[in-house]
């Protein structure tokens, strides 16, 4: 079922011409000029922060980044073969259990502040590495990138990564955000709603697409390999990850911003630009064959790759950023709450007679 309006929202808008805005500000403008923290505040509070509001918000995030030790133990108890998204989902439940008695507003800020710490550490745990503590002297992007890669990124890398986090912050009623609103409508807490959001995001038709796109680009390896690869997979009826969107049918504006970021990042890092050429040729060939555009996940993936982030962290990174949108939708739902309880169309059998098991 699609195309049915189930809520009113003032958080983000995808206009009929395919342009995206957060709280009325064009994504392109925010992408070029704003910080992640400013955009997060905007999405949560409905207006851009003044200096004092921003400073308070930032220091509030910094002071809440650390995760209770028992949550690390919970994460480490899971099999080392676990998917990081499964560890993340469990960890958010763990934080929720530990913070059940906090006031609701506190819970929301705590969750948003802790998500990067949880994301970095669930990705470290599957690599057999010890948990790492967050820093409290750098912004969200630098902190997360540092924890994920174990090295101090340069300022351009931080800026590039921050741009991707801004693109992932919020996107109207996508599958995970809708899931969050359904759970919110039952008056469950923000951890329960976000755990459900993480579960929905994991799937390859949603957040899981960025990791699948990267693995595809690496498998193809060269621009010449793109067209034959697509023809083969499409002839088998396979979906190509990182392409297509329920709303964007000609261009995903976030993908184009991300593509530009990839070009600039690869130029900054030096190298032969092969990754960019593979991605661009895949995009061109997919358009030629199917008239299906690349989406954000397709171009965010090689940006993360160029930043030396392990592939299994891409979907968790999406979750860390999108948690801001989830929390904002959680509150918007509660502000005018009505329990979601849609109807279905019954297509089953009628008026059958029960027969005892021995007689069937
Ligand atoms: N690869 C191959 N074919 C695709 C495709 C893709 N990535 N995306 C859509 N199509 C095909 C559909 O199979 C359908 O074909 P059909 O008419 O022969 O059955 C046709 O294009 C129209 O699809 P549509 O109904 O408009 O798309 P949708 O709204 O059902 O699907 C997605 C949207 C996102 C679920 C879909 O594009 C997809 O699965 N993409 C890959 C996963 C992905 O990148 N997800 C992240 C989204 S941000």
């Amino acid at each position: 079922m699609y195309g049915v309006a189930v809520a009113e929202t003032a958080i983000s808008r995808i206009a009929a011409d395919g342009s995206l805005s957060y709280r009325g500000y064009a994504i392109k403008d925010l992408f070029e000029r704003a910080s992640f923290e400013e955009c997060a505040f905007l999405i949560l509070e409905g207006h851009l922060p003044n200096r004092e509001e921003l400073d308070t918000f930032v220091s509030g995030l910094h002071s809440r980044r650390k995760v209770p030790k028992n949550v690390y133990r919970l994460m480490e108890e899971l099999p080392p073969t676990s998917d990081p998204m499964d560890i993340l989902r469990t960890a958010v439940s763990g934080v929720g259990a530990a913070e059940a008695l906090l006031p609701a507003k506190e819970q929301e800020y705590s969750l948003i502040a802790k998500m990067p710490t949880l994301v970095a550490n669930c990705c470290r745990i599957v690599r057999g590495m010890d948990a790492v503590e967050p820093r409290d002297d750098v912004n969200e992007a630098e902190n997360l990138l540092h924890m994920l890669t174990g090295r101090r990124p340069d300022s351009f890398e931080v800026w590039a990564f921050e741009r991707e986090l801004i693109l992932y912050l919020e996107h109207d009623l996508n599958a995970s955000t809708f899931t969050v609103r359904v759970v919110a409508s039952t008056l469950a807490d923000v951890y329960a709603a976000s755990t459900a959001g993480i579960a929905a995001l994991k799937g390859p038709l949603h957040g899981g697409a960025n990791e699948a796109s990267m693995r595809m680009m690496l498998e193809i390896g060269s621009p010449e390999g793109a067209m034959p690869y697509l023809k083969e997979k499409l002839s088998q009826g396979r979906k190509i990850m990182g392409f297509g969107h329920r709303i964007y049918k000609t261009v995903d504006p976030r993908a184009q911003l991300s593509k530009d970021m990839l070009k600039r990042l690869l130029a900054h890092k030096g190298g032969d630009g092969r990754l960019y050429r593979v991605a661009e040729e895949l995009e061109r060939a997919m358009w030629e064959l199917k008239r299906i555009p690349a989406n954000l996940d397709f171009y965010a993936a090689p940006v993360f790759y160029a930043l030396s982030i392990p592939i299994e962290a891409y979907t968790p990174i999406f979750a860390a950023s999108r948690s801001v949108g989830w929390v904002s939708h959680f509150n918007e739902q509660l502000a005018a709450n009505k329990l979601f309880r849609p109807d279905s169309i019954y297509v089953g059998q009628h008026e059958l007679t029960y027969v005892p098991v021995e007689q069937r």
Side-chain angles (χ1 to χ4, degrees), residues 2 204-207 209-210 213 234 238-247 249 252 254 286 290 292 295-297 318:
Y2 58 91
L205 296 190
H206 190 11
N210 55 13
S213 301
L234 290 171
R238 301 273 291 276
K239 281 212 163 169
I240 310 300
M241 294 298 133
F243 286 93
H245 197 274
R246 187 47 68 73
I247 298 176
K249 293 301 176 195
D252 177 343
R254 305 164 306 164
M286 188 67 175
K290 293 281 287 181
I292 296 178
N295 57 45
L296 169 60
D297 291 313
F318 187 161

Side-chain angles (χ1 to χ4, degrees), residues 2-68:
Y2 58 91
V4 180
V6 294
E8 292 185 343
T9 185
I11 303 172
S12 67
R13 175 171 186 246
I14 306 167
D17 66 358
S19 57
L20 170 67
S21 54
Y22 294 163
R23 301 275 189 191
Y25 292 91
I27 188 67
K28 190 169 186 301
D29 214 14
L30 296 171
F31 178 87
E32 281 163 6
R33 301 173 63 191
S35 67
F36 174 84
E37 287 80 355
E38 281 179 287
C39 295
F41 185 98
L42 170 69
I43 286 166
L44 291 165
E45 303 296 339
H47 64 273
L48 281 170
N50 61 28
R51 170 52 60 195
E52 194 187 336
E53 287 171 325
L54 184 60
D55 290 348
T56 306
F57 181 62
V58 167
S59 61
L61 290 179
H62 288 196
S63 64
R64 291 174 175 85
R65 280 178 178 163
K66 286 197 173 172
V67 169

Side-chain angles (χ1 to χ4, degrees), residues 7 30 33 41 48 50 82 87 95 116 140 153 157 170 217-218 228 246 283 301 323:
L30 296 171
R33 301 173 63 191
F41 185 98
L48 281 170
N50 61 28
S82 302
I87 303 180
V95 174
E140 294 296 290
E157 290 176 313
E170 155 64 13
M217 286 179 220
L218 293 176
R246 187 47 68 73
E283 183 189 17
S323 64

Side-chain angles (χ1 to χ4, degrees), residues 105-125:
K105 199 82 186 152
E106 264 294 307
Q107 292 182 335
E108 293 165 13
Y109 277 82
S110 174
L111 175 70
I112 290 169
K114 287 178 177 51
M115 279 295 278
T117 315
L118 296 172
V119 161
N121 282 313
C122 66
C123 297
R124 290 174 65 91
I125 283 169

